[in-house]
Amino acid sequence: MFEEIIVAGAGGQGVLVLGEVLAIAAVKAGNKATWLPAYGPEMRGGTANCSVVLSSKEIGSPLVQEPSLLVCFNQPSITKFGPATAKGGKIFANADTIEEYPQMKEGVEIIKIKVNSLAAALGDERALNMVMLGAVLKKSAFVTLESCALALRDIWGAKAEELLPTSLKAMRSGQEAVAGQA
Amino acid sequence: MGDFKFIKGNEAAAEAAIRAGCEGFFFYPVTPSSEIGEYMANHLHRTGGVFAQAESEIAAVNMMFGGAATGARVMTGTSGVGYSLMSECISYMAGAEVPAVIVDVMRAGPGLGSLEPTQGDYNQVTKASGHGGHIIPVYAPSNAQEIVNFVHESFGTAERFRTPVVVLYDGYTGQVMESVEFPEGRQEKKPNTWSLDDAPGRKGRVVRSGYAGGIGQHSFELYAKYDDMKEKLQRFEEYQTEDAEIILVGFGIVGRICKSVVDKARDEGLKVGLIRPIMISPFPAKAFAKYKGTKVKFLTIEMSYGQMCHDVALAVGENDNTHFFRDKCGSLPAMSEILNRLRQLKGENS
Amino acid sequence: MKAVYEKTTAFNDLVTGYCPGCGHGIVQRMIGECMDELGISDRLVAILGVGCSSPSWRFMTYDILSVPHGRPGAAASGMKKCDPNKIVYTYQGDGDSGSIGFSETVYPAVRGDNITSIIVNNTVYAMTGGQMAPTTLAGQVTTTSPKGRDVNATGQPLHLPELVASLPGSRYVARVSLHDTAHIRKAKQAIKQAFENQINGVGYSMVEVLSPCPSIWRMKPVDCMERIAREVIREFPLGTFKGA
């Protein structure tokens, strides 16, 4: 397995946590993983993104420049990273906020999902990143819902008991939403 | 078996120091090293160590000097801009032969610069940590696990050679979260005969670097120590070098990227290997000695105008076979660009 | 026979090397007497900056740490944090403390660290040959103020104790003088108070000592004492600015 992922969106959309869950879940399944946030001046101004590399072998560069998988929560993210996505790669796009799609490389598959609406329907708009995570799980075989739940327990510690049920519901909702898409 | 954590490089440095037995951490905030201080502020009390935020890097390093003089195991974390301010005291500590660990998380460019990954502090830490011509050991970890291993080890090295020791890495390596395993147990601490310890009734001791009456003998003792360090501390990793026609040289994060490049180049049938200096001071000249007079080409990759490449040229004998790839500042070297350069070098071969 | 005056155990048999008439020997002897009287020879550490007193480790018998110019305050804070059992004092000149080490000298008082700061003020940079110091008096001729210190260009003499006394973190701050026997006795009391404070955990203490420098002032030792009494005290008033 070798997967280069960029998760991008606005600050407060849970972008960094989503990347971290993918990385830890991959480690729990016996793989190597790196998680690198955009930091410093890039952090200011409300945009956030992180590079996640998952691999069954030792990882070279932790910085992703040509993602095989791109997760976008807002318009600026897809405008910036969409064209860089590798041939045959996958893009998960938040259809609630993204209207314009830039020119992509050949064979790039775009999976559209309204994560704001789906999270709101579950009664917790903050769970939009977990809805997106569910979609990623459904369409990619490299991590399971179970290992993601274990990863969330690590990240949240004592708060996991309280937060996990909503997150699992959100993940399942995301999985169902993209099940029909080719 | 040790304890696993998925953790940022900077936090790994702090946790490794706590577990190694760090007793005092002195600090002034500076990006991209601040997580080290924040982690220490929250966790160093666990083992009874003291944390202090100083009014400047100058004060932080001198606080560290004061603590180290008592024989306490001490550390500071900073970035190149702070390291510049600390250089004066690092020189005093090297002269007074006082152990300490300094983590330098490099910033990019001269002056205030920026935060992207860079390796511009190579010369500063290996050649110019202040005035007077001392040599101090410098570890160059390439990932979070090596940060853990080398921070742990550096306390032992500092005490064994009675010297400040630097652990040097770039901002990305400090920010990357990876899975690490912590070694069990503290770094062993042996009794010493120099520190201002609390042994009752002992004679007064002096910890100093000043030699108003002439420094000759002291210099010779220091030089003998540097010879000993050169003998014992040359550390490097060799990867696929046995049949290599071109050998990449890179330290830190560049080293790990180059390892992937070697794999890709081998897939294309290019006979490429890697020498990754693990300690950059003393420079691992041993790794290069056997290539003197051979046709093996060397391509040094650095995220700077070119600093370590001079040490490589010196070690291998500068000639048409030593090459340098200077990456543009502000990003990690792209594997594709290194591969192109390798193909070009291979072409020049035939 | 009863001994009425003895050498302090703080000194070995070497001569100090100070110029005849210098005040450093008096101050360091008083510190040594305090060490003997307070029974702290196993715990006492002097942290020396850079100045005429830097080589004084040669003739002292207790623990010494010699640090960069101006930085004893920071080193003392770090040492006391790592080993609270130590009785740590900084020993600096007015240039070391008030100029290059201004920040490192003031911050231990800002933090309220339980250390003792002894500052010897002779109004010049003596070790480097008599340049203008932050404490040089208005109009005083030095090698770098050849026409006399122009306070319009270089500012008024720095009063470190008064400044430190204004900080909530300081507990005891005094200025004393060496210009006659009565004042030397008072100086000893102040220095002893500063060490007792540290032993009792009271907190930060600073004592500034007005001290003669015959070599740089180009005066006979007795005339130096008169200069302190006549001129220097007028600029730097004696007294306890904080604490009892």
Side-chain angles (χ1 to χ4, degrees):
Chain A
M1 190 249 291
F2 185 73
E3 208 66 57
E4 291 186 290
I5 304 166
I6 289 179
V7 187
Q13 289 182 316
V15 166
L16 300 183
V17 173
L18 170 46
E20 203 180 331
V21 174
L22 288 172
I24 296 178
V27 168
K28 298 239 173 242
N31 293 296
K32 309 270 184 200
T34 59
W35 173 92
L36 172 66
Y39 71 108
E42 289 180 73
M43 262 165 61
R44 313 284 182 259
T47 61
N49 73 76
C50 60
S51 287
V52 177
V53 182
L54 313 178
S55 174
S56 43
K57 291 202 302 182
E58 207 175 320
I59 295 167
S61 176
L63 179 70
V64 176
Q65 286 161 325
E66 205 183 335
S68 55
L69 197 153
L70 175 67
V71 180
C72 289
F73 283 89
N74 61 5
Q75 185 66 51
S77 300
I78 197 155
T79 307
K80 182 174 180 187
F81 297 109
T85 303
K87 284 179 194 170
K90 283 193 179 77
I91 296 178
F92 292 81
N94 178 7
D96 278 324
T97 57
I98 296 170
E99 289 167 355
E100 286 173 40
Y101 290 83
Q103 184 69 40
M104 313 284 181
K105 290 178 188 158
E106 68 185 81
V108 171
E109 180 190 356
I110 300 175
I111 297 124
K112 297 176 186 174
I113 173 167
K114 297 190 170 188
V115 291
N116 290 83
S117 314
L118 287 166
L122 292 170
D124 188 351
E125 285 188 56
R126 289 171 310 168
L128 80 166
N129 61 335
M130 294 295 128
V131 175
M132 186 68 97
L133 177 60
V136 174
L137 298 182
K138 186 72 188 173
K139 289 294 198 178
S140 317
F142 49 79
V143 281
T144 63
L145 190 132
E146 288 68 32
S147 52
C148 287
L150 287 174
L152 283 170
R153 280 186 191 280
D154 274 15
I155 293 168
W156 285 334
K159 286 189 291 179
E161 287 309 317
E162 180 199 331
L163 299 171
L164 211 48
T166 312
S167 300
L168 288 172
K169 239 196 284 177
M171 278 190 256
R172 288 197 188 96
S173 141
Q175 283 180 317
E176 286 161 19
V178 296
Q181 289 189 39
Chain B
M1 282 287 275
D3 184 9
F4 285 92
K5 269 190 193 332
F6 194 76
I7 193 169
K8 267 191 185 187
N10 281 341
E11 292 171 344
E15 179 64 27
I18 294 169
R19 291 178 186 228
C22 179
E23 294 163 292
F25 183 82
F26 304 96
F27 167 74
Y28 183 78
V30 52
T31 314
S33 70
S34 296
E35 290 98 346
I36 304 175
E38 289 167 348
Y39 193 94
M40 284 296 200
N42 282 294
H43 296 278
L44 186 53
H45 61 82
R46 228 171 55 205
T47 52
V50 291
F51 167 88
Q53 180 169 324
E55 66 272 23
S56 68
E57 282 95 350
I58 295 174
V61 71
N62 280 282
M63 282 182 173
M64 181 172 81
F65 189 12
T70 67
R73 199 166 255 181
V74 293
M75 176 166 145
T76 186
T78 188
S79 78
V81 61
Y83 194 92
S84 297
L85 285 171
M86 292 183 177
S87 293
E88 175 200 41
C89 189
I90 293 170
S91 170
Y92 273 73
M93 294 179 81
E97 300 189 80
V98 171
V101 174
I102 303 144
V103 178
D104 175 6
V105 189
M106 290 177 274
R107 290 175 70 99
L112 188 58
S114 187
L115 300 170
E116 299 95 334
T118 176
Q119 297 182 316
D121 291 359
Y122 178 91
N123 278 350
Q124 188 185 19
V125 298
T126 65
K127 311 277 192 283
S129 294
H131 59 284
H134 50 280
I135 292 172
I136 55 177
V138 181
Y139 288 87
S142 67
N143 58 34
Q145 184 65 58
E146 285 192 343
I147 290 176
V148 167
N149 297 349
F150 299 161
V151 165
H152 187 89
E153 187 182 311
S154 63
F155 286 100
T157 305
E159 285 158 23
R160 181 172 159 216
F161 292 96
R162 281 187 61 183
T163 175
V165 172
V166 174
V167 178
L168 179 77
Y169 54 86
D170 68 284
Y172 271 13
T173 305
Q175 293 299 321
V176 173
M177 278 183 114
E178 287 181 273
S179 185
V180 299
E181 183 183 4
F182 288 96
E184 277 189 358
R186 293 183 158 209
Q187 195 51 242
E188 190 197 353
K189 193 170 177 182
K190 299 200 172 96
N192 68 65
T193 55
W194 61 268
S195 71
L196 311 181
D197 60 24
D198 284 336
R202 70 155 165 76
K203 279 193 165 177
R205 289 171 176 169
V206 181
V207 175
R208 63 175 169 119
S209 60
Y211 288 82
I215 199 162
Q217 185 56 36
H218 180 57
S219 289
F220 299 142
E221 286 161 12
L222 290 178
Y223 293 173
K225 175 162 84 177
Y226 303 154
D227 284 343
D228 194 31
M229 291 190 327
K230 273 189 178 174
E231 185 56 36
K232 294 177 179 141
L233 295 181
Q234 293 194 31
R235 292 262 301 275
F236 53 90
E237 180 191 1
E238 287 171 308
Y239 182 63
Q240 304 268 32
T241 52
E242 295 80 8
D243 62 340
E245 291 167 0
I246 308 171
I247 293 179
L248 291 170
V249 187
F251 72 95
I253 196 166
V254 173
R256 70 185 284 181
I257 293 170
C258 284
K259 215 170 186 179
S260 296
V261 173
V262 168
D263 289 343
K264 289 198 180 217
R266 291 262 162 188
D267 288 346
E268 291 184 20
L270 294 171
K271 288 186 177 168
V272 175
L274 167 71
I275 294 176
R276 181 173 69 88
I278 285 173
M279 295 195 78
I280 50 175
S281 172
F283 186 74
K286 275 180 193 170
F288 300 89
K290 62 184 168 196
Y291 299 102
K292 269 191 180 172
T294 69
K295 286 186 174 174
V296 175
K297 293 189 176 186
F298 285 85
L299 179 60
T300 304
I301 320 275
E302 284 177 88
M303 295 191 289
S304 72
Y305 183 74
Q307 301 185 8
M308 185 177 71
C309 58
H310 300 294
D311 283 328
V312 174
L314 207 61
V316 79
E318 184 157 20
N319 55 37
D320 292 347
N321 291 333
T322 51
H323 302 270
F324 175 63
F325 179 93
R326 179 188 306 143
D327 192 61
K328 58 187 180 295
C329 191
S331 177
L332 294 179
M335 290 202 277
S336 54
E337 288 176 27
I338 301 173
L339 272 167
N340 282 340
R341 187 79 184 93
L342 285 170
R343 290 182 199 118
Q344 196 188 337
L345 279 176
K346 169 74 181 170
E348 289 165 13
N349 240 2
S350 48
Chain C
M1 273 207 294
K2 184 172 169 253
V4 292
Y5 189 80
E6 282 181 303
K7 202 179 90 174
T8 162
T9 66
F11 288 174
N12 59 31
D13 291 335
L14 295 174
V15 294
T16 64
Y18 291 129
C19 306
C22 174
H24 273 305
I26 303 171
V27 182
Q28 288 181 308
R29 185 196 152 90
M30 291 192 292
I31 293 169
E33 288 175 3
C34 290
M35 179 187 90
D36 291 335
E37 291 162 18
L38 297 169
I40 52 173
S41 60
D42 278 1
R43 300 166 65 194
L44 190 64
V45 184
I47 304 196
L48 307 175
V50 173
C52 288
S53 60
S54 315
S56 60
W57 53 266
R58 288 185 306 112
F59 57 79
M60 297 202 282
T61 58
Y62 54 94
D63 283 356
I64 314 277
L65 171 63
S66 159
V67 303
H69 194 19
R71 320 300 178 210
S77 295
M79 179 175 285
K80 190 76 181 181
K81 285 177 199 300
C82 281
D83 188 352
N85 176 55
K86 298 274 188 242
I87 302 300
V88 183
Y89 79 94
T90 58
Y91 191 78
Q92 303 169 265
D94 43 290
D96 196 86
S97 58
S99 189
I100 188 170
F102 183 86
S103 173
E104 291 77 20
T105 305
V106 171
Y107 256 87
V110 172
R111 286 185 294 265
D113 290 334
N114 186 27
I115 63 161
T116 301
S117 169
I118 308 290
I119 290 164
V120 178
N121 177 359
N122 60 12
T123 74
V124 284
Y125 282 98
M127 194 202 206
T128 47
Q131 295 81 13
M132 188 182 75
T135 46
T136 295
L137 305 189
Q140 185 178 340
V141 173
T142 71
T143 59
T144 52
S145 56
K147 293 178 180 167
R149 180 174 188 172
D150 175 4
V151 293
N152 291 319
T154 66
Q156 295 287 339
L158 174 67
H159 292 218
L160 206 47
E162 285 88 335
L163 187 143
V164 164
S166 74
L167 300 168
S170 61
R171 287 290 174 273
Y172 175 68
V173 184
R175 183 183 288 114
V176 296
S177 172
L178 302 179
H179 68 273
D180 61 30
T181 314
H183 281 91
I184 290 175
R185 284 176 179 278
K186 279 190 179 169
K188 162 80 181 291
Q189 283 169 3
I191 290 170
K192 194 166 179 179
Q193 179 71 56
F195 280 112
E196 281 172 343
N197 285 349
Q198 188 177 160
I199 294 166
N200 297 329
V202 171
Y204 181 91
S205 301
M206 171 185 276
V207 178
E208 182 181 282
V209 186
L210 302 181
S211 180
C213 182
S215 297
I216 298 298
W217 294 1
R218 297 181 193 284
M219 285 176 165
K220 290 177 183 158
V222 173
D223 295 341
C224 287
M225 297 310 196
E226 276 177 20
R227 180 187 179 236
I228 295 175
R230 211 179 50 240
E231 283 183 53
V232 183
I233 286 180
R234 208 182 302 153
E235 174 65 39
F236 296 112
L238 305 182
T240 302
F241 303 109
K242 198 172 190 181

